[in-house]
Amino acid sequence: MKKFSLILVAMLFLGSISAQTARVNILHNSPDDAATVVDVYVNGEIAVPDFEFRTATGFLDLPAGTPIEIDIAPGTSADVSESVYNVSLTLEADETYLVVADGITGLSSTTYTPAPAFGLQVFPMAREAASMMGNTDVLVHHGSTDAPTVDVVEVGVGAGTIVDNASYPGFVPYLELPTADYVLAVQDENQTVTVATYGAPLSTLGLDDAAITVVASGFLDPSQNGDGPAFGLFAVTAGGGAFLALPLIPANDDPCNAISLPTDGTTGVYSNVNATVPAGEEVIAPPAGTDGTSSCVSQDGWCGGDLAIQNSVWFSFEATSSGVNISTCSDNNTIDTQVALYSATDCTDYSTLTLLGANDDVTDGCAAGTSIYASDLTYCGLTVGQTYWILVDSYAGEQGDFEISVSETSCPARAQVIHNSAEDIAASVDVYIDGVLAIPGFEFRTATPFIDLPGGVEINIDIAPGGSSDVSESIYNLPATLEEGATYIIVADGITGLSTGTYTPAPAFGLQIYDMGREAASSASNTDVLVHHGSTDAPIVDVAEVGVGAGVIVDDVAYTEFQGYLELATADYQLAVQTSDNATTVATYDAPLSTLALDGAAITVVASGFLDPGVNNDGPAFGLWVAPATGGEMIPLPLVTSVDDFEPIAFNMFPNPAQDELFIGSSEQIESIAIYDTQGRLVVSEANNIQRIDISDLSEGIYTVAVSIGERISTERLVKL
């Protein structure tokens, strides 16, 4: 554009009737191809020659208090006679104006849809500087002919709606903003659709104390408007010159506008250029990975050198399997990608995003051989049909194009196996999976760490005596189908029947499977405790916490059953194992979770061994044992008191075997009598020194009779005919 002469403009009006002037800033915002360059005449004299689209004059002094004629002619016009637009204005003395040329002249052969007429939009009370130091005053003008009524929502610092229902060709009065860097989302008037998102880096651009105009310019749909200039937001300073384009931020700059990806491995190319960190996003930054190496290949964090989110964009996918692989890379090695996977309940609230996994550098991402620019994350445990979110960031704030693909992947099941069969012949066993020896020499009261097992297909689990030569020596077989990505606790309980010893009762050997196992606590300050009743001759019991007074924490758990995880604050507890009516305490144990440093751990507490070894081949005595997630020898909980600490109750029970009636005699006053079946279920309960008991309704078999006085308890074996 030729430099226009302020001297000429001033001289045009010397000697005029009034020496009063107004300050006027003129902006050329007509995208019509016939108006790409225009000449501006004031009172018949050229004032702004060769005035280009998306440029501004800066503030000029024009006559005030008397009508002036403003004409617009094509660029390089000879004189005002070539005017294609004329308007007469009377400006107020000492007022400051902003004048914007918008619309379509109708002189072009190009079709514009819509085509509002060319015109000058005048805003009085314009500003040449901010009204307050430290601010940037922003006047907003909607000058896009095919854009709808819009709102502008600030999403960078969370300022919310700053422009409400702006329509073409209107102005929104000055916003007096503290000078900072903002992010502006242009949305429909219902704020349901984001048209585009722009950076407004007022601080970075040094616009402290300035007054500017932000203009919506160009076509939202260039294809319907002669492929004319595309829509954008532009800043115009008081000094004029070329409009400054506000950077277009990727549409997927935040989770709610994530780009949905297929899970079939299709690779797409995307960009993080001008991506920002919306307010609150920094709080979800992944931690450093825990693999303990410099290669940063862990699946739970990023390399420690850069843990900040800086240029992030978002993707989403709907899980079609329990496992997913996310691969990213930069073909031209311009972006060192970092990737993280989240679940969320509300995409607008970063506090609801939960980190599932993260990865930084790998050697087998989509750019094999350029590992420092690739990320590769595999995650198992997704819920089919649920939506998940992916954040792609870049190391050290690099910007450019990158590739990403999401694909289904098969996931193993995770399982911890606990050996709790107290039978002497099963003191050591071999465990086979699909005929292959998986756990050799597996000893009683030991546990494996969590191991991978095939998921989604049937497998055969075989148990053979320790030192077996192959699976043909199996004494127990269980076909099982474990779910992909699920986590299990598997406990071996019961009596094989192969021993020469006598066990009373003798429930059959078997594997008990709990399908919601945990490898860690749900909270870092908790210890999650899964309880399993694995004592063959113990009755149905309750467990009451008597150390801190928490009361009954396990209710009516029977042999082979699991009681789901107790999420306990990590502390030292005392656990009283009681009969199901809470009348008799079998034993009390210390559970020193804090002393054992089990913060954040998930453990299994197993009732193990025989309550009455005397009728069970003098086998291992009853106790509570802990299997940590890391496996190894189980940890006995220290015994505080037990029924063995009290003098046994001397009583007679006859006849035995019995058919219809059972008589109990004792020199002491018995307070309660209970009869349990071989599964530990209470089948008869009497109180208050009952001596005669009707057992006619009991099925034939073996039972345990327990008599109690206070916390003392004694048992005898009963045969029912």
Side-chain angles (χ1 to χ4, degrees):
M1 182 180 73
K2 296 177 182 177
K3 183 176 180 181
F4 51 85
S5 172
L6 295 179
I7 297 175
L8 172 62
V9 174
M11 291 178 62
L12 288 172
F13 307 106
L14 287 177
S16 63
I17 297 175
S18 172
Q20 295 176 320
T21 60
R23 297 281 288 165
V24 181
N25 188 4
I26 305 174
L27 283 61
H28 182 350
N29 190 49
S30 170
D32 188 340
D33 59 11
T36 301
V37 179
V38 297
D39 293 337
V40 180
Y41 292 83
V42 177
N43 288 340
E45 299 293 334
I46 192 163
V48 188
D50 298 337
F51 194 24
E52 296 182 355
F53 173 59
R54 288 179 178 163
T55 61
T57 64
F59 279 88
L60 310 174
D61 288 324
L62 294 183
T66 185
I68 60 174
E69 299 292 322
I70 298 179
D71 284 272
I72 308 295
T76 67
S77 60
D79 54 47
V80 73
S81 66
E82 298 182 42
S83 171
V84 297
Y85 174 84
N86 169 269
V87 64
S88 179
L89 296 177
T90 301
L91 305 178
E92 186 176 335
D94 300 322
E95 182 61 272
T96 306
Y97 295 88
L98 190 91
V99 179
V100 184
D102 289 320
I104 306 301
T105 65
L107 302 175
S108 172
S109 60
T110 300
T111 299
Y112 295 93
T113 305
F118 179 92
L120 298 182
Q121 321 305 328
V122 180
F123 180 83
M125 298 181 292
R127 301 177 185 178
E128 297 188 58
S131 56
M132 179 184 298
M133 290 184 65
N135 277 4
T136 305
D137 292 358
V138 180
L139 177 68
V140 176
H141 174 65
H142 187 323
S144 175
T145 56
D146 67 339
T149 299
V150 296
D151 290 354
V152 177
V153 180
E154 201 293 317
V155 296
V157 300
T161 301
I162 58 175
V163 173
D164 187 38
N165 292 347
S167 300
Y168 175 81
F171 292 91
V172 176
Y174 281 95
L175 308 168
E176 298 178 353
L177 304 176
T179 303
D181 290 345
Y182 297 96
V183 180
L184 308 180
V186 180
Q187 301 180 341
D188 70 305
E189 58 186 313
N190 298 317
Q191 297 187 7
T192 57
V193 177
T194 296
V195 177
T197 303
Y198 296 88
L202 307 184
S203 177
T204 299
L205 293 173
L207 293 174
D208 313 63
D209 311 329
I212 66 172
T213 303
V214 171
V215 180
S217 175
F219 299 112
L220 202 59
D221 186 357
S223 68
Q224 298 297 310
N225 290 278
D227 293 324
F231 180 92
L233 294 186
F234 295 81
V236 181
T237 65
F243 288 14
L244 177 64
L246 296 185
L248 181 64
I249 291 173
N252 56 330
D253 194 50
D254 64 89
C256 289
N257 292 295
I259 295 173
S260 180
L261 298 177
T263 58
D264 60 2
T266 300
T267 298
V269 179
Y270 300 92
S271 173
N272 73 334
V273 174
N274 297 325
T276 68
V277 182
E281 187 174 276
E282 68 280 355
V283 304
I284 63 166
T290 57
D291 66 344
T293 74
S294 60
S295 61
C296 302
V297 298
S298 67
Q299 300 282 288
D300 58 357
W302 288 349
C303 292
D306 181 14
L307 301 178
I309 298 175
Q310 297 164 90
N311 294 94
S312 59
V313 288
W314 289 86
F315 302 87
S316 65
F317 66 93
E318 183 178 301
T320 53
S321 69
S322 63
V324 66
N325 175 261
I326 303 163
S327 183
T328 64
C329 64
S330 173
D331 249 356
N332 53 9
N333 293 349
T334 58
I335 301 180
D336 182 357
T337 55
Q338 300 170 299
V339 66
L341 174 66
Y342 300 86
S343 64
T345 56
D346 181 356
C347 65
T348 66
D349 184 354
Y350 288 103
S351 69
T352 71
L353 269 68
T354 300
L355 177 69
L356 301 179
N359 177 252
D360 195 337
D361 290 345
V362 294
T363 57
D364 57 351
C366 60
T370 57
S371 61
I372 63 169
Y373 297 103
S375 300
D376 192 78
L377 174 64
T378 296
Y379 185 83
C380 293
L382 303 180
T383 300
V384 175
Q386 183 172 319
T387 298
Y388 295 88
W389 281 262
I390 302 168
L391 177 146
V392 177
D393 199 53
S394 60
Y395 192 87
E398 297 162 344
Q399 299 186 47
D401 293 341
F402 62 90
E403 298 177 16
I404 183 171
S405 65
V406 178
S407 55
E408 296 179 7
T409 188
S410 59
C411 290
R414 296 279 289 168
Q416 180 179 43
V417 186
I418 300 171
H419 183 347
N420 190 49
S421 171
E423 184 180 11
D424 58 2
I425 201 169
S428 176
V429 297
D430 293 339
V431 181
Y432 291 83
I433 304 295
D434 286 337
V436 177
L437 183 61
I439 312 171
F442 192 27
E443 296 184 355
F444 173 60
R445 286 180 178 162
T446 61
T448 69
F450 279 86
I451 58 177
D452 289 340
L453 293 176
V457 296
E458 185 176 270
I459 60 174
N460 277 282
I461 305 174
D462 282 274
I463 309 295
S468 62
S469 57
D470 57 47
V471 73
S472 66
E473 299 179 41
S474 172
I475 59 174
Y476 174 84
N477 170 266
L478 176 68
T481 301
L482 305 180
E483 184 179 342
E484 284 190 49
T487 306
Y488 296 86
I489 304 290
I490 302 175
V491 183
D493 290 323
I495 308 300
T496 66
L498 301 176
S499 173
T500 57
T502 300
Y503 294 89
T504 304
F509 178 92
L511 297 182
Q512 322 307 328
I513 299 179
Y514 182 78
D515 62 359
M516 292 182 287
R518 299 180 185 178
E519 297 191 52
S522 54
S523 168
S525 60
N526 281 359
T527 305
D528 291 359
V529 180
L530 177 68
V531 176
H532 174 69
H533 187 324
S535 175
T536 56
D537 68 337
I540 295 173
V541 295
D542 291 354
V543 178
E545 199 294 315
V546 295
V548 299
V552 175
I553 58 176
V554 174
D555 187 40
D556 290 350
V557 62
Y559 172 65
T560 73
E561 289 183 348
F562 293 91
Q563 179 103 14
Y565 280 95
L566 306 168
E567 298 178 353
L568 304 177
T570 304
D572 291 343
Y573 298 96
Q574 278 197 343
L575 307 180
V577 180
Q578 300 176 342
T579 54
S580 58
D581 58 5
N582 304 121
T584 302
T585 296
V586 176
T588 302
Y589 297 86
D590 281 329
L593 306 183
S594 179
T595 300
L596 292 173
L598 291 173
D599 312 61
I603 64 175
T604 302
V605 172
V606 179
S608 175
F610 301 111
L611 202 60
D612 187 354
V615 296
N616 287 281
N617 202 31
D618 291 324
F622 180 92
L624 296 185
W625 295 72
V626 172
T630 51
E633 293 185 5
M634 295 170 66
I635 304 167
L637 295 184
L639 181 64
V640 179
T641 61
S642 77
V643 292
D644 294 335
D645 296 332
F646 303 101
E647 182 183 351
I649 302 168
F651 71 98
N652 296 317
M653 182 178 73
F654 60 92
N656 189 12
Q659 186 168 14
D660 297 315
E661 294 180 324
L662 182 67
F663 295 89
I664 305 292
S666 176
S667 61
E668 299 183 75
Q669 183 168 328
I670 294 173
E671 295 177 1
S672 65
I673 299 171
I675 301 177
Y676 301 94
D677 66 12
T678 58
Q679 297 300 310
R681 294 183 293 251
L682 180 67
V683 294
V684 175
S685 179
E686 301 287 354
N688 300 323
N689 202 30
I690 295 297
Q691 295 180 325
R692 175 184 173 279
I693 302 173
D694 182 359
I695 61 171
S696 59
D697 290 337
L698 297 183
S699 301
E700 294 180 2
I702 297 174
Y703 296 85
T704 298
V705 177
V707 297
S708 302
I709 301 174
E711 293 189 350
R712 298 162 60 200
I713 183 171
S714 292
T715 62
E716 289 286 346
R717 180 170 174 261
L718 168 68
V719 178
K720 169 64 168 65
L721 299 177

